[in-house]
């Protein structure tokens, strides 16, 4: 049992002002194995003050120096990879086959971000096309950035914010999800080992109270949030009142369109990762499988067999694909959607109930519903669990209409042997990311949602821009 009473502020672990604690539960065993402070307004105030004091010197260090720190932090993550993976699996149930890659991917993101330093350092001198003179355009850090992250990828979703914020010259205050604070605490140990100046990176654990205090703090200059659309709307309102820039990576109900020329072998190779990665607890999971009407039963049975054939169980077993859900609350929420699917007339060709296979743990049977219509709750609402809805379409126009008939627009996948044809379908979708025949994203390309799936972008040069603002210095000569 690990009991912690401290938060990371100003380069040190300091005792929290809060007497409240958050318990950390192992989703596979239901055992409480750690506790951390449920931070309060005083903790947030101290962390923001430390970040504010550190920010000018960090900005003045220059992009090349800041890039060196990112490389050092990447090295420290690599050296701790096995322990970080163990912690992730213990605190949120992610199968080790997934969590084992998280530290390496996070380190790679840091190094890729560091490679953008040369662009920040370059002089941007623009002639005035309408009068004599020229302008030097400076890209300057926005200031103190609040980074608020969810529980499903507790290291990776911090890193894709932290890297660009630090390279831009921002100091940060991180507030992780209350369910998964431990991987982020280990990240602070790596921050210390990498030699970051005190106050550049700060961590306050906690729930809604700490999150609200951070978003509303007058000395925070930028908020980046990943989580539910409901919470994102509230953060957007608060930031709008304060004219504070905000990046929101929110929910999704993404489609996977299967064209009539799809390759069954490619489909079988990629469907699980496309639709049910991390036991379905992935924002861009394509949980609406939109299939030709004439082949609905065939593809539904194929999907059911793939899902039923994937191992569910101990998340520390490298062969496990489906682990437990993160909490009893999440298990019960997903179970409610299974009931809804049955009541609305969908047919479960795989799973369909809470798992009774294990004595302990927050397990749900990985489920494929066939005969789903676009108006069913399981076809419209983000479930965030291993539930796949198979929806038939008449023709390509109908498939596109079904795919776009959602308040969300985060991701999509097109399965089709003819990449030109598949790309033509992708071009018609109102979504921020589309994979052709696979579950895809690219750390060098922008990632962001359309519609209710968010504001702003992450990854690549565009993600770096989210932490910068511009100053134009005009010269007459």
């Amino acid at each position: 049992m690990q009991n912690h009473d401290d938060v990371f502020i100003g380069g040190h672990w300091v005792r929290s002002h809060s007497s409240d604690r958050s318990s950390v539960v192992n989703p596979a065993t239901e055992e409480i194995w750690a506790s951390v402070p449920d931070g309060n307004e005083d903790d947030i105030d101290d962390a923001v003050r430390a970040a504010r004091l550190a920010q000018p010197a960090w900005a003045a260090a220059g992009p090349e120096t800041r890039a060196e720190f990112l490389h050092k932090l990447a090295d420290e993550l690599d050296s701790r990879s096995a322990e970080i993976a163990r912690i992730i699996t213990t605190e949120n149930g992610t199968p080790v086959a997934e969590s084992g890659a998280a530290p390496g991917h996070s380190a790679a993101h840091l190094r890729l971000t560091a490679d953008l330093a040369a662009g920040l350092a370059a002089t941007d001198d623009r002639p005035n096309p309408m009068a004599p003179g020229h302008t030097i355009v400076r890209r300057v850090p926005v200031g103190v950035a609040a980074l608020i992250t969810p529980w499903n990828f507790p290291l990776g979703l911090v890193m894709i914010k932290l890297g660009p914020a630090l390279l831009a010259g921002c100091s940060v205050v991180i507030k992780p999800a209350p369910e998964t604070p431990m991987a982020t605490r280990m990240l602070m140990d790596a921050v210390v080992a990498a030699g970051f100046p005190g106050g550049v990176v700060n961590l306050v654990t906690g729930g809604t109270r700490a999150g609200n205090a951070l978003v509303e703090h007058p000395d925070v200059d930028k908020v980046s949030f990943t989580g539910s659309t409901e919470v994102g709307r509230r953060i957007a309102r608060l930031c709008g009142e304060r004219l504070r820039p905000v990046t929101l990576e929110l929910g999704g109900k993404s489609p996977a369109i299967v064209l009539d020329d799809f390759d069954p072998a490619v489909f079988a190779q990629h469907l699980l990762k496309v639709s049910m990665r991390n036991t379905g607890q992935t924002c861009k999971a394509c949980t609406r499988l939109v299939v030709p009407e004439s082949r609905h039963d065939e593809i539904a049975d194929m999907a059911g067999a793939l899902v039923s054939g994937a191992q569910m169980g101990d998340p520390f077993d490298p062969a496990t694909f489906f682990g437990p859900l993160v909490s009893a609350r999440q298990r019960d929420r997903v179970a409610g959607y299974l009931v809804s699917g049955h009541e609305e007339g969908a047919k479960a060709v795989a799973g369909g109930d809470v798992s009774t296979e294990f004595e302990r743990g927050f397990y749900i049977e990985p489920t494929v519903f066939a005969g789903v219509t676009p108006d069913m709750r399981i076809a419209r609402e983000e479930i965030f669990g291993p539930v796949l809805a198979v929806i038939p379409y008449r023709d390509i126009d109908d498939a596109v209409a079904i795919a776009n008939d959602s308040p969300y627009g985060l991701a999509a996948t097109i399965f089709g042997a003819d990449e030109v044809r598949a790309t033509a379908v992708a071009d018609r979708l109102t979504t921020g990311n589309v994979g052709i025949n696979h579950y895809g994203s690219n750390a060098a390309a922008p990632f962001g949602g359309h519609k209710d799936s968010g504001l702003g972008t992450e990854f690549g040069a565009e993600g770096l821009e989210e932490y910068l603002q511009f100053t134009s210095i005009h010269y007459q000569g």
Side-chain angles (χ1 to χ4, degrees), residues 2 4 6 8 12-13 73 76-77 79-80 83-84 87 182-196 201 203:
Q2 300 182 33
H4 302 281
D6 48 5
F8 188 78
H12 306 282
W13 291 105
L73 182 57
E76 293 297 334
L77 289 180
S79 72
R80 294 165 168 77
E83 180 63 9
I84 293 174
I87 286 175
M182 300 303 289
T184 322
R185 286 182 63 92
M186 178 158 276
L187 172 62
M188 296 305 101
D189 293 339
V191 165
V192 172
F196 278 85
V201 182
L203 169 71

Side-chain angles (χ1 to χ4, degrees), residues 242-403:
R242 292 158 177 78
L243 297 179
R244 179 176 297 162
V246 60
T247 300
L248 302 172
E249 200 275 280
L250 307 177
K253 189 67 179 177
S254 300
I257 299 177
V258 181
L259 302 182
D260 55 13
D261 68 340
F262 81 103
D263 184 333
V266 172
F267 178 83
Q269 180 182 357
H270 293 287
L271 178 67
L272 289 175
K273 197 168 183 182
V274 162
S275 299
M276 292 187 169
R277 182 186 179 194
N278 198 20
T279 317
Q281 299 170 120
T282 304
C283 60
K284 62 179 182 177
C286 296
T287 56
R288 292 185 292 150
L289 191 62
V290 185
V291 306
E293 191 174 58
S294 62
R295 303 182 69 177
H296 168 273
D297 292 352
E298 170 198 353
I299 297 173
D301 288 344
M302 189 183 306
L306 289 167
V307 169
S308 297
Q311 180 168 311
M312 176 174 65
D314 179 4
F316 279 102
D317 183 341
T320 293
F321 185 84
F322 293 110
L325 298 187
V326 70
S327 64
R329 181 177 64 177
Q330 185 66 11
R331 177 200 58 197
D332 294 346
R333 180 178 183 274
V334 174
Y337 279 104
L338 299 183
V339 171
S340 173
H342 291 300
E343 289 178 346
E344 291 189 296
K347 177 187 176 184
V349 296
D353 203 348
V354 173
S355 176
T356 57
E357 185 176 346
F358 309 98
E359 291 184 4
R360 307 198 76 180
F362 308 129
Y363 289 93
I364 284 278
E365 292 179 349
T367 298
V368 177
F369 277 117
V372 178
T373 58
D375 59 328
M376 291 182 183
R377 285 185 65 211
I378 57 172
R380 300 205 64 80
E381 299 179 16
E382 184 176 39
I383 298 174
F384 228 63
V387 182
L388 180 61
V390 185
I391 306 169
Y393 69 81
R394 297 184 303 275
D395 53 30
I396 293 298
D397 289 342
D398 189 37
V400 170
I402 291 169

Side-chain angles (χ1 to χ4, degrees), residues 88-137:
I88 292 172
T89 294
T90 306
E91 67 182 348
N92 78 349
T94 295
V96 72
E98 173 85 39
S99 67
H105 284 165
S106 295
H109 269 286
L110 287 174
R111 295 184 179 109
L112 287 168
T113 301
D115 289 344
L116 299 172
L120 278 182
T123 300
D124 187 356
D125 191 346
R126 305 183 189 183
N128 187 338
M130 301 179 66
H134 66 110
T135 298
I136 301 294
V137 179

Side-chain angles (χ1 to χ4, degrees), residues 34 41 49 60 67 89 141 143 154 159 174 268 271 281 304 314 364 394 423 427 440 462 474:
E41 294 85 353
R49 184 181 301 112
T89 294
M159 210 55 55
I174 301 169
L271 178 67
Q281 299 170 120
D314 179 4
I364 284 278
R394 297 184 303 275
T423 301
D427 285 337
E462 293 82 1
H474 306 288

